[in-house]
Structure formats: C-alpha cells, structure tokens
Amino acid sequence: MKRNVLVWVEAAIIAALSMALSWIPDFAGWFTPSWGAIVLVIFSLRRGLTPGLAAGLLWGLLHFAVGKVSFLSVEQVLIEYVIAFAVMGLAGLLYSPFQKALKAEKYTSAITLACTAAFVGVGVRYFFHYIAGVIFWGKYAPEGMSPWLYSLTVNGTAALGTFIVVVIACVALIRQKKIWIAH
Ligand code: 218
C-alpha cells in the first residue's frame, strides 16, 4: 500500500477502535475515563500531528454515526464532539523527540515524552469539555454549587482518570517497538 494511504487507513482503524472502547461499561457517568484516548495518544506518537488530529476528528464524528451524542445545543456539540476530540491529536506535537528517543532505546526519555503527549492531548481535550460544562451543563449542578466548580469536579476527575490510564498503557507498552514505530 502507498505510505500515505496506509497512514489514513491506520487513522480510520484507530478512530473505530477508540469508538469501540467507549462501550466498556460506563461505571461513573461523566467521571468515567475515556479508554479510547489510550489508542489515540499512541497513534499520535506513532504517526505525528496531522494523522493524530485526523484520527481524533474522525473518532468525534463517529459518535454521530453510532448515535452516542449527548446533545444540548449545536454549539455544545461542535465544541464537545468535533473540536474536543480532534485536539487530542495535539499529542502528536511530541512525535519527533519521542521517535528519536525510542529509536535510541532511551526508554526513560520516551516515557517522559509519552506522558507529556498524554498530558497535552488529554488536557486540551478536557479543557474544552470544562468550558462546555460551565456554559451548557451548569444547569445540572447540584443545588448551591457553581457551574465552574461543578464542571471542574466532573471534567477534572475524568481528565485525571483518562491521563492515568493513558500513562499506565504507555509505560506497559513502551518496549513494544512495533506499536510505536511505523515502517
Ligand atoms: C459538567 C459536564 N457534564 C457533562 C459534560 C459532557 N461531556 C463531558 C465529557 C466528555 C464528553 C464527550 C463524550 O464522551 C461530554 C459530552 C460536560 N462537558 N460537562
């Protein structure tokens, strides 16, 4: 397969796999970690920024195809299912130093860079959910709780849980070079 085509086929498979992982039982409502972020961050470090952004965007759009969109308004849906999912690909900003570290078998540096990538991708995504939470979901806050604190509690917990599962997966898989280095 032409290299370019291969990258896009991989992006589509990654988006589908990330989507599939959202059927892992949701044990804590909006607090539940986003398992698909594991696959998306790894892919962004394997293929770089543009493929990462594209796979994230596609994952977001797949929510419409499978009917897993929580709709409050058009603006909310654009922020939470188009922008928030696409920006997870920003993890790919760390692609070059990560690839260099891994190819040199500098595993400590590679893990540090992967954690930074996870922090960027997951952090920027949940920043958008946080903003959407304040503007659109504030009305669901418990009596007497401000929308700011409500959104920070919900999205901060989900972001932290997601970051932790991505980091655990990266550490567990770091020596599996075939996952990280494309040919
Ligand atoms: C306070 C609050 N509650 C719910 C949402 C909606 N939200 C949160 C996280 C992730 C996603 C995308 C689908 O998994 C959504 C829609 C929010 N932003 N804030």
Side-chain angles (χ1 to χ4, degrees):
M1 216 183 306
K2 264 175 69 179
R3 188 181 161 88
N4 228 0
V5 179
L6 179 61
V7 175
W8 298 116
V9 170
E10 278 186 25
I13 293 170
I14 291 301
L17 185 56
S18 298
M19 188 74 245
L21 290 174
S22 74
W23 274 277
I24 291 176
D26 164 347
F27 57 87
W30 288 118
F31 292 96
T32 312
S34 173
W35 304 103
I38 296 172
V39 188
L40 201 98
V41 169
I42 292 177
F43 178 68
S44 302
L45 287 169
R46 171 184 166 91
R47 289 298 193 179
L49 181 62
T50 311
L53 291 169
L57 176 67
L58 194 54
W59 177 18
L61 296 178
L62 279 174
H63 285 74
F64 296 89
V66 302
K68 261 185 169 276
V69 173
S70 296
F71 179 96
L72 295 180
S73 74
V74 173
E75 294 86 346
Q76 174 257 336
V77 160
L78 280 177
I79 294 171
E80 297 206 273
Y81 290 95
V82 182
I83 300 173
F85 279 87
V87 294
M88 251 186 297
L90 289 174
L93 286 170
L94 281 295
Y95 167 77
S96 294
F98 175 81
Q99 290 285 319
K100 225 173 137 190
L102 200 60
K103 282 174 185 162
E105 303 195 343
K106 292 183 174 159
Y107 291 108
T108 312
S109 308
I111 286 173
T112 308
L113 289 160
C115 291
T116 311
F119 188 81
V120 171
V122 174
V124 179
R125 171 183 169 186
Y126 278 92
F127 172 73
F128 281 100
H129 290 310
Y130 167 70
I131 297 297
V134 174
I135 303 173
F136 306 102
W137 296 85
K139 58 188 174 202
Y140 298 105
E143 276 277 324
M145 195 183 211
S146 73
W148 298 96
L149 185 60
Y150 174 59
S151 186
L152 187 67
T153 310
V154 172
N155 293 302
T157 309
L160 187 65
T162 302
F163 173 71
I164 291 171
V165 296
V166 174
V167 166
I168 291 173
C170 288
V171 171
L173 296 171
I174 199 72
R175 284 170 189 271
Q176 311 300 315
K177 280 195 174 178
K178 276 190 177 164
I179 296 175
W180 304 97
I181 299 171
H183 293 287

